[in-house]
Amino acid sequence: MIRVIYFLILAGCISTQNLHAQYAYFPAKGTIYFEKTDHPKARIRQMMNSQSNNRGGGFWGNIDQMPETRVSQYVMKFDQTQSLMQNVVDKTESTSNNSNRSRGNSRYGGQMRVGMGGGGAFSSNEQKTYYQNIKTSQSKVQIELDEIYVLEDSLQEITWRFTDEYRQIAGYDCRRVNGATKDSLYLVAFYTDQIPLGSGPILAHGLPGMILGLAIPEMHINYWATKVEFSNEDVSRNWEDKKAKALKTNDFADLILRQMRGRGGQDVSRRKFLEQLYY
């Protein structure tokens, strides 16, 4: 009789576990809050030292005016096939930047305000929006310089290598993977398969789940999720500014780099320019 009771209890436990597994909830839509930490001085100093033709460092700005460490906030919306990530802009500094822009107070005579500036690489108070469509492998990045641009491209291929290292991020069990882009930019990512969409911060993608932690050692940058919220809303289809100019990413980079060189600016590679623009 005791054996029969024990067997029934054991069977009940197994049945309950299977029920939980069968109905485990994997969020398909929601919002992820990220914190970005970067070290502008170390980042710019390393890039200046790597340039073979450093003509005064005009592109990089005044390194003495840059902070040692900078923290900024990002918000990502996601659904089953796409994600949309934006940085949270400091309204006070953004208003000051807009005032300077309206007076033509720019690095290149008021025509194209690019470069690093005192706050570091492409000030974190410039609004940026990153869109990924995982289903179609397409990306869009909306940025504001002298005008608003939407840069269109396919998602960049990333080669990932899985490790046996795990850690918790924002309450989720995440696995470490090491990655590299075609341009040999080294990435360290932590993803969770509890959020099925294979997306991540900025334009990171290609894993069997959401990337909640992303480090770029070469650039002294990391993005870390602090909170995840679920919802029933799809990613908005109307996020692009109606006045934005659409360009292919490489066409935009070549256009800006030609303007910089024509004005005596530093000779910067397309890869370095796009890395600073995005990350």
Side-chain angles (χ1 to χ4, degrees), residues 188-210:
V188 177
F190 289 86
Y191 81 95
T192 177
D193 58 8
Q194 294 173 279
I195 303 176
L197 184 68
S199 184
I202 311 301
L203 299 178
H205 69 99
L207 291 170
M210 181 65 72

Tab-separated table of all heavy atoms in Angstrom, residues 188-210:
chain	number	residue	atom	x	y	z
A	188	VAL	N	30.928	40.233	-27.550
A	188	VAL	CA	30.587	39.261	-26.515
A	188	VAL	C	29.120	39.475	-26.175
A	188	VAL	O	28.720	40.584	-25.795
A	188	VAL	CB	31.446	39.434	-25.250
A	188	VAL	CG1	30.999	38.440	-24.177
A	188	VAL	CG2	32.923	39.249	-25.566
A	189	ALA	N	28.305	38.430	-26.360
A	189	ALA	CA	26.862	38.573	-26.142
A	189	ALA	C	26.375	37.537	-25.146
A	189	ALA	O	26.936	36.428	-25.036
A	189	ALA	CB	26.111	38.419	-27.462
A	190	PHE	N	25.327	37.889	-24.422
A	190	PHE	CA	24.618	36.971	-23.533
A	190	PHE	C	23.151	36.977	-23.964
A	190	PHE	O	22.498	38.016	-23.933
A	190	PHE	CB	24.738	37.408	-22.074
A	190	PHE	CG	26.109	37.212	-21.496
A	190	PHE	CD1	27.081	38.189	-21.647
A	190	PHE	CD2	26.438	36.050	-20.807
A	190	PHE	CE1	28.356	38.021	-21.126
A	190	PHE	CE2	27.701	35.869	-20.284
A	190	PHE	CZ	28.666	36.846	-20.434
A	191	TYR	N	22.652	35.807	-24.390
A	191	TYR	CA	21.285	35.737	-24.898
A	191	TYR	C	20.456	34.774	-24.050
A	191	TYR	O	20.979	33.894	-23.374
A	191	TYR	CB	21.272	35.285	-26.362
A	191	TYR	CG	21.405	33.785	-26.534
A	191	TYR	CD1	20.270	32.972	-26.674
A	191	TYR	CD2	22.658	33.167	-26.532
A	191	TYR	CE1	20.384	31.599	-26.809
A	191	TYR	CE2	22.787	31.803	-26.674
A	191	TYR	CZ	21.647	31.013	-26.804
A	191	TYR	OH	21.760	29.652	-26.922
A	192	THR	N	19.142	34.950	-24.108
A	192	THR	CA	18.222	34.030	-23.447
A	192	THR	C	17.259	33.446	-24.471
A	192	THR	O	16.736	34.171	-25.327
A	192	THR	CB	17.422	34.731	-22.334
A	192	THR	OG1	16.493	33.796	-21.766
A	192	THR	CG2	16.654	35.936	-22.861
A	193	ASP	N	17.034	32.133	-24.399
A	193	ASP	CA	16.051	31.513	-25.292
A	193	ASP	C	14.639	31.625	-24.717
A	193	ASP	O	13.681	31.123	-25.306
A	193	ASP	CB	16.408	30.061	-25.582
A	193	ASP	CG	16.524	29.206	-24.318
A	193	ASP	OD1	16.169	29.705	-23.220
A	193	ASP	OD2	16.975	28.055	-24.425
A	194	GLN	N	14.492	32.297	-23.575
A	194	GLN	CA	13.172	32.518	-22.995
A	194	GLN	C	12.427	33.670	-23.672
A	194	GLN	O	11.249	33.873	-23.441
A	194	GLN	CB	13.307	32.786	-21.494
A	194	GLN	CG	13.822	31.575	-20.715
A	194	GLN	CD	14.108	31.920	-19.267
A	194	GLN	OE1	15.155	32.466	-18.933
A	194	GLN	NE2	13.164	31.606	-18.404
A	195	ILE	N	13.150	34.451	-24.487
A	195	ILE	CA	12.532	35.451	-25.367
A	195	ILE	C	12.925	35.052	-26.784
A	195	ILE	O	14.083	35.209	-27.181
A	195	ILE	CB	13.011	36.874	-25.042
A	195	ILE	CG1	12.713	37.211	-23.575
A	195	ILE	CG2	12.346	37.889	-25.966
A	195	ILE	CD1	13.229	38.563	-23.130
A	196	PRO	N	12.007	34.480	-27.555
A	196	PRO	CA	12.371	33.781	-28.797
A	196	PRO	C	13.004	34.631	-29.895
A	196	PRO	O	13.782	34.112	-30.695
A	196	PRO	CB	11.025	33.210	-29.275
A	196	PRO	CG	10.156	33.186	-28.062
A	196	PRO	CD	10.576	34.352	-27.234
A	197	LEU	N	12.676	35.918	-29.985
A	197	LEU	CA	13.165	36.717	-31.115
A	197	LEU	C	14.687	36.824	-31.091
A	197	LEU	O	15.277	37.217	-30.089
A	197	LEU	CB	12.550	38.121	-31.075
A	197	LEU	CG	12.911	39.027	-32.257
A	197	LEU	CD1	12.286	38.508	-33.545
A	197	LEU	CD2	12.479	40.467	-31.993
A	198	GLY	N	15.328	36.501	-32.211
A	198	GLY	CA	16.786	36.529	-32.302
A	198	GLY	C	17.341	37.894	-32.609
A	198	GLY	O	18.074	38.082	-33.580
A	199	SER	N	17.010	38.881	-31.774
A	199	SER	CA	17.450	40.256	-31.957
A	199	SER	C	18.335	40.653	-30.778
A	199	SER	O	18.739	39.813	-29.981
A	199	SER	CB	16.228	41.181	-32.079
A	199	SER	OG	16.616	42.511	-32.347
A	200	GLY	N	18.654	41.966	-30.691
A	200	GLY	CA	19.494	42.431	-29.596
A	200	GLY	C	19.772	43.911	-29.704
A	200	GLY	O	19.256	44.595	-30.600
A	201	PRO	N	20.602	44.438	-28.807
A	201	PRO	CA	20.900	45.875	-28.801
A	201	PRO	C	21.518	46.340	-30.121
A	201	PRO	O	22.282	45.617	-30.759
A	201	PRO	CB	21.898	46.031	-27.650
A	201	PRO	CG	21.715	44.832	-26.801
A	201	PRO	CD	21.302	43.728	-27.722
A	202	ILE	N	21.197	47.579	-30.499
A	202	ILE	CA	21.689	48.207	-31.725
A	202	ILE	C	21.340	47.291	-32.898
A	202	ILE	O	20.175	47.113	-33.182
A	202	ILE	CB	23.192	48.531	-31.632
A	202	ILE	CG1	23.475	49.259	-30.308
A	202	ILE	CG2	23.655	49.381	-32.787
A	202	ILE	CD1	22.697	50.550	-30.130
A	203	LEU	N	22.294	46.674	-33.577
A	203	LEU	CA	21.988	45.799	-34.712
A	203	LEU	C	22.499	44.377	-34.495
A	203	LEU	O	22.663	43.626	-35.458
A	203	LEU	CB	22.575	46.389	-35.999
A	203	LEU	CG	22.033	47.763	-36.402
A	203	LEU	CD1	22.716	48.260	-37.673
A	203	LEU	CD2	20.521	47.736	-36.595
A	204	ALA	N	22.746	44.002	-33.240
A	204	ALA	CA	23.185	42.629	-32.938
A	204	ALA	C	22.014	41.672	-33.140
A	204	ALA	O	20.874	41.979	-32.778
A	204	ALA	CB	23.710	42.545	-31.505
A	205	HIS	N	22.296	40.504	-33.687
A	205	HIS	CA	21.225	39.555	-34.009
A	205	HIS	C	21.848	38.199	-34.319
A	205	HIS	O	23.069	38.020	-34.253
A	205	HIS	CB	20.455	40.045	-35.244
A	205	HIS	CG	21.281	39.978	-36.507
A	205	HIS	ND1	21.177	38.958	-37.422
A	205	HIS	CD2	22.273	40.775	-36.974
A	205	HIS	CE1	22.040	39.141	-38.401
A	205	HIS	NE2	22.719	40.238	-38.153
A	206	GLY	N	20.980	37.217	-34.661
A	206	GLY	CA	21.463	35.950	-35.199
A	206	GLY	C	21.609	34.826	-34.200
A	206	GLY	O	22.196	33.790	-34.525
A	207	LEU	N	21.064	34.992	-32.981
A	207	LEU	CA	21.129	33.939	-31.972
A	207	LEU	C	19.735	33.366	-31.732
A	207	LEU	O	18.731	33.993	-32.070
A	207	LEU	CB	21.724	34.504	-30.679
A	207	LEU	CG	23.207	34.854	-30.770
A	207	LEU	CD1	23.668	35.632	-29.536
A	207	LEU	CD2	24.057	33.605	-30.953
A	208	PRO	N	19.645	32.179	-31.120
A	208	PRO	CA	18.325	31.562	-30.895
A	208	PRO	C	17.596	32.158	-29.693
A	208	PRO	O	17.116	31.438	-28.815
A	208	PRO	CB	18.675	30.086	-30.676
A	208	PRO	CG	20.055	30.097	-30.134
A	208	PRO	CD	20.751	31.253	-30.810
A	209	GLY	N	17.541	33.479	-29.641
A	209	GLY	CA	16.883	34.162	-28.539
A	209	GLY	C	17.388	35.593	-28.440
A	209	GLY	O	18.298	36.013	-29.166
A	210	MET	N	16.795	36.348	-27.531
A	210	MET	CA	17.103	37.766	-27.380
A	210	MET	C	18.427	37.988	-26.650
A	210	MET	O	18.707	37.361	-25.629
A	210	MET	CB	15.985	38.451	-26.605
A	210	MET	CG	16.182	39.939	-26.416
A	210	MET	SD	16.153	40.881	-27.964
A	210	MET	CE	14.392	40.796	-28.372
